[in-house]
Amino acid sequence: MAGLRWPRLKFWPNHVRTFDHLDTLEERRTAVYELIDESGFGWWIVFVAGVGFLTDAYDIFAVNMVLPMLSIVFWNGKIPLGVTTAFNSMTLLGVVIGQTVFGVLADRYGRKKMYGLELLIIIFATLGVALASKGAANSIHIIGWLIFWRLLMGFGIGGDYPLSAVITAEFAPRKHRARMLAAVFFMQPIGQLIANIVAVIATAAYRSHITGDADPFHCKGRCLQTTDKIWRWVVGLGAIPPTIATIFRLCIPESPRYMLEVEMDSATALQDSKWYYGSRSSVSDQQPDEEMAEKPAIDTTQATEVHTEKLSVPLESSRYAGSSTQGSVDGTRDEITAIGPPAAPPNREPSIRSTNSATSSIIPDPSTNPTPSKPDKGPKAKKPTWTQYSQGFYKYLFTDNNWTDLAGTAATWCVLDFSFYFLGVNSSSIIAKIWGTTETTSVYELLMENGWRALITNSIGAMVGGAIMLAVVRWRWSVQMYGFLILGGLFFAVGFTFVYLLNTRFIGAIIVLYVLCQLFFNLGPNTTTFVIPAEVFPTPYRATCHGLSAASGKIGSIIAQIFLAYAKLGHESVTDEKSTWLGWVLVIFTFIMACGAAITYFFVPNPCDIRGNSRSLEVLALGKAHRKGLKEEERRLEVEEDRA
């Protein structure tokens, strides 16, 4: 694989001169997009991004294995509800902050500069949790330190969401982009599975050190020391994957799309792409595959005219930067001081331009021009300032009416995470209610029971759903909408069975339905809410919008933690041993899932054309109005083809 040659990064003599024969910005842009789209499945990027995402899942969901151990070690088996809520909520609060902050910083300072930094934070915080102590004679407040380190860990985990998603999307060829993003997200159920397995193995390894008759409420001496060691091992081993991933992440080049559209350095973008994707004898002579077949351009302002010749379009960099300055398409670097969605690459998709617009035109491809223009000797490009970034983002969202795209991705993620983390982060207490109480008296039996039940109830369904998603991710928008509806039906079923079958011999039906819920979380909106926001926003704001969407989801998860802890029906809470209110809560989730389906239908942008083929990132970046015109024209052409 080309990506495995990363040590060559240190030996790049005169890399700009290598492409001196490409005189214009548009030529370099075209070459970069073609190099990316003609590459294969990006296993290297998936591995590097996926290992970090695996760590995120491990650290978040290991808490289900760790909290029962902490309860035994510090609270004699009865951990206060407020401590549990704070432990979970502060982690998720850190995730919210990290997703927002790292999303903005990745758009301002580059993906490469931020990538790896968040993992260093995770490593540091993980070791902090594992080594937290009460001090001599309880001189240190252990809960305060644990919550602090979990908050910091959440900050690092949050930063990994937009960075992993955006880097994967921007390095991916269009035909493999959705599957690569889904493969990265598939590391979440794998990380959850590994957390469960590590807990089971660590408990089994210390079996001889746990007194056989020691119960969770009377664990003293050697039993207490052993349980303390087990939870520290479970947490501390979570620092190994990010350590490995950090080494590789520091060696990944900057995203070519970021170099083109934000840094305005087309020469470096082309050189990086040439190095990373490998050499091509003649990029422009490569034949696109069926999915990349050439399509006509469209003009929607007058009578529709279909252009079949090879086309190129100018860079509209000032469109969202609050500037009226148009950039030239010539020069060794962009002579542009503003940012915004780029024009679509030639020979890829239809392009809608308004003929009445002062900034809209269609320019013949330089390769068809016998006398291409020479590089402009004007001033070098300047990276947009914070003011230009803010003005451009505001214009993209509100002036051009694209705020509904962000609202859609954020709202669906919030709806999804409210239910997913309600069940996932609190699976130890939820699973205990679903499986029913047992006569377990031994600490060892309790810890092993928690581990095996989590493996069966959470991991099996999540793993199967995530694996199937890799095969059907091409239809991700439809999978999200129908996935919400299927989850709504499953919640209705599992809720009623919980109310009427709990503590009967038919309890297995509740477990099976719960496993199916986990399956359709991952074969549905849990995966797609991560994938779609990485595709549908412009490069200058892609990480920001993905981070904001993800942060909205985690806000929903925080609300779920508070709801689970303090909501009561009469005098019963959801987690009370004999309460059946959990069943009615799951029935209520039916309505919430229906809302997710409706929001998806009306507000979430579809990153595919009407045939199910992925659109290019550059076309999607042009916004809602452009997508609408493309869809209308595709339908018109489809009708004409059917008539013919």
Side-chain angles (χ1 to χ4, degrees):
M1 293 180 289
L4 292 177
R5 295 177 290 157
W6 58 266
R8 289 178 53 193
L9 277 167
K10 299 178 181 179
F11 308 103
W12 281 2
N14 205 12
H15 64 270
V16 175
R17 187 175 298 174
T18 307
F19 297 97
D20 273 351
H21 63 285
L22 299 179
D23 289 331
T24 67
L25 164 65
E26 199 62 29
E27 285 179 313
R28 290 192 173 105
R29 286 173 58 85
T30 300
V32 169
Y33 292 139
E34 289 183 344
L35 278 168
I36 295 174
D37 277 348
E38 289 164 9
S39 64
F41 189 90
W43 292 103
W44 180 249
I45 285 292
V46 169
F47 167 75
V48 175
V51 171
F53 211 72
L54 180 150
T55 300
D56 302 341
Y58 182 99
D59 289 333
I60 288 178
F61 294 106
V63 70
N64 293 316
M65 303 295 103
V66 168
L67 278 177
M69 302 178 194
L70 291 176
S71 177
I72 294 170
V73 173
F74 298 111
W75 291 279
N76 296 321
K78 296 180 180 180
I79 186 170
L81 180 61
V83 172
T84 301
T85 304
F87 201 76
N88 291 332
S89 299
M90 294 305 290
T91 303
L92 295 171
L93 177 61
V95 174
V96 170
I97 299 171
Q99 288 166 335
T100 305
V101 171
F102 273 93
V104 173
L105 294 180
D107 281 338
R108 291 297 301 133
Y109 298 109
R111 287 70 162 119
K112 179 177 173 59
K113 290 180 180 179
M114 297 296 110
Y115 213 37
L117 176 60
E118 83 285 9
L119 291 185
L120 294 176
I121 295 174
I122 293 174
I123 294 169
F124 184 64
T126 299
L127 295 177
V129 173
L131 299 176
S133 170
K134 296 174 68 173
N138 295 327
S139 61
I140 298 177
H141 196 276
I142 184 66
I143 295 306
W145 277 110
L146 287 175
I147 290 176
F148 168 77
W149 289 120
R150 289 290 293 184
L151 176 67
L152 184 62
M153 180 189 294
F155 181 70
I157 291 172
D160 203 48
Y161 272 73
L163 284 166
S164 291
V166 167
I167 285 179
T168 302
E170 292 179 355
F171 273 95
R174 175 155 52 125
K175 57 189 174 184
H176 296 306
R177 186 178 68 232
R179 186 165 287 112
M180 287 174 62
L181 284 164
V184 170
F185 192 82
F186 187 48
M187 295 298 106
Q188 184 183 84
I190 292 177
Q192 186 176 6
L193 173 67
I194 292 175
N196 294 334
I197 292 175
V198 168
V200 169
I201 292 176
T203 303
Y206 280 99
R207 179 175 186 177
S208 61
H209 298 273
I210 301 177
T211 307
D213 59 350
D215 65 73
F217 308 106
H218 303 89
C219 182
K220 306 293 182 181
R222 192 177 185 186
C223 172
L224 195 65
Q225 291 178 348
T226 301
T227 307
D228 192 50
K229 290 178 182 179
I230 293 173
W231 80 260
R232 294 179 190 278
W233 272 111
V234 173
V235 172
L237 288 174
I240 295 178
T243 302
I244 297 172
T246 300
I247 298 172
F248 296 113
R249 288 190 177 188
L250 296 176
C251 300
I252 288 181
E254 181 58 88
S255 161
R257 285 184 162 97
Y258 185 85
M259 292 301 297
L260 275 173
E261 299 162 24
V262 180
E263 293 290 346
M264 309 298 181
D265 191 347
S266 58
T268 301
L270 181 55
Q271 175 61 35
D272 288 1
S273 301
K274 194 76 171 179
W275 164 80
Y276 181 80
Y277 295 103
S279 59
R280 299 281 194 275
S281 56
S282 176
V283 173
S284 60
D285 293 337
Q286 298 288 334
Q287 295 296 321
D289 59 23
E290 183 176 353
E291 185 178 350
M292 305 295 185
E294 181 178 342
K295 300 176 186 176
I298 307 164
D299 182 358
T300 57
T301 59
Q302 308 294 339
T304 302
E305 178 183 1
V306 178
H307 302 270
T308 57
E309 66 271 23
K310 189 174 183 181
L311 300 174
S312 179
V313 284
L315 181 68
E316 297 183 19
S317 289
S318 62
R319 183 175 178 185
Y320 299 123
S323 169
S324 60
T325 307
Q326 263 316 102
S328 168
V329 299
D330 297 327
T332 56
R333 289 173 60 97
D334 298 10
E335 286 72 39
I336 302 168
T337 59
I339 58 177
N347 271 342
R348 286 292 186 262
E349 296 192 61
S351 178
I352 298 179
R353 292 288 183 269
S354 170
T355 55
N356 296 329
S357 172
T359 63
S360 300
S361 60
I362 299 179
I363 301 175
D365 189 279
S367 62
T368 63
N369 189 343
T371 57
S373 56
K374 296 298 180 183
D376 184 44
K377 301 301 182 182
K380 296 294 184 182
K382 293 181 180 179
K383 185 176 180 178
T385 63
W386 276 98
T387 300
Q388 290 172 319
Y389 165 83
S390 301
Q391 291 174 344
F393 192 33
Y394 180 89
K395 186 175 190 303
Y396 169 75
L397 289 180
F398 300 108
T399 304
D400 295 333
N401 200 33
N402 291 307
W403 66 270
T404 55
D405 290 351
L406 180 58
T409 57
T412 49
W413 209 328
C414 180
V415 166
L416 180 278
D417 275 3
F418 179 84
S419 58
F420 181 74
Y421 281 87
F422 180 90
L423 301 176
V425 173
N426 299 283
S427 66
S428 57
S429 58
I430 298 296
I431 290 175
K433 288 188 65 65
I434 290 176
W435 283 79
T437 58
T438 64
E439 298 301 325
T440 298
T441 58
S442 166
V443 170
Y444 174 79
E445 290 177 355
L446 174 65
L447 298 181
M448 291 297 289
E449 187 178 79
N450 287 339
W452 284 114
R453 285 179 172 183
L455 279 171
I456 295 171
T457 311
N458 289 335
S459 296
I460 291 178
M463 289 292 295
V464 173
I468 298 175
M469 188 66 195
L470 293 175
V472 301
V473 69
R474 175 178 179 179
W475 298 280
R476 50 202 174 278
W477 186 88
S478 297
V479 167
Q480 175 165 311
M481 185 178 70
Y482 291 112
F484 272 121
L485 295 175
I486 293 172
L487 282 170
L490 286 171
F491 281 135
F492 186 84
V494 73
F496 268 94
T497 55
F498 183 87
V499 172
Y500 293 107
L501 299 181
L502 187 66
N503 298 323
T504 70
R505 62 191 180 94
F506 301 108
I507 193 172
I510 304 176
I511 297 172
V512 170
L513 288 171
Y514 188 90
V515 170
L516 287 176
C517 287
Q518 295 298 323
L519 188 152
F520 281 100
F521 268 130
N522 287 276
L523 179 56
N526 193 36
T527 300
T528 57
T529 51
F530 173 83
V531 172
I532 293 176
E535 302 180 280
V536 298
F537 298 108
T539 299
Y541 320 118
R542 184 170 292 125
T544 300
C545 291
H546 192 281
L548 291 174
S549 299
S552 175
K554 295 306 172 287
I555 291 173
S557 68
I558 294 173
I559 296 173
Q561 301 307 303
I562 298 173
F563 177 82
L564 179 66
Y566 298 108
K568 292 182 180 295
L569 182 63
H571 297 290
E572 294 182 343
S573 68
V574 178
T575 55
D576 285 348
E577 184 177 338
K578 296 182 180 180
S579 172
T580 59
W581 193 30
L582 176 61
W584 297 115
V585 170
L586 295 176
V587 172
I588 294 173
F589 281 177
T590 299
F591 172 75
I592 296 176
M593 294 299 99
C595 291
I599 296 170
T600 299
Y601 183 81
F602 289 107
F603 296 106
V604 174
N606 190 343
C608 300
D609 61 23
I610 61 174
R611 297 178 180 85
N613 298 323
S614 298
R615 300 192 189 279
S616 70
L617 294 180
E618 289 66 47
V619 165
L620 291 169
L622 294 174
K624 181 169 62 176
H626 190 85
R627 290 194 313 270
K628 181 179 179 181
L630 285 176
K631 190 174 182 179
E632 291 174 352
E633 180 62 13
E634 288 166 354
R635 287 176 174 172
R636 184 187 67 81
L637 293 175
E638 189 175 49
V639 170
E640 292 180 357
E641 290 175 0
D642 292 340
R643 290 175 179 174

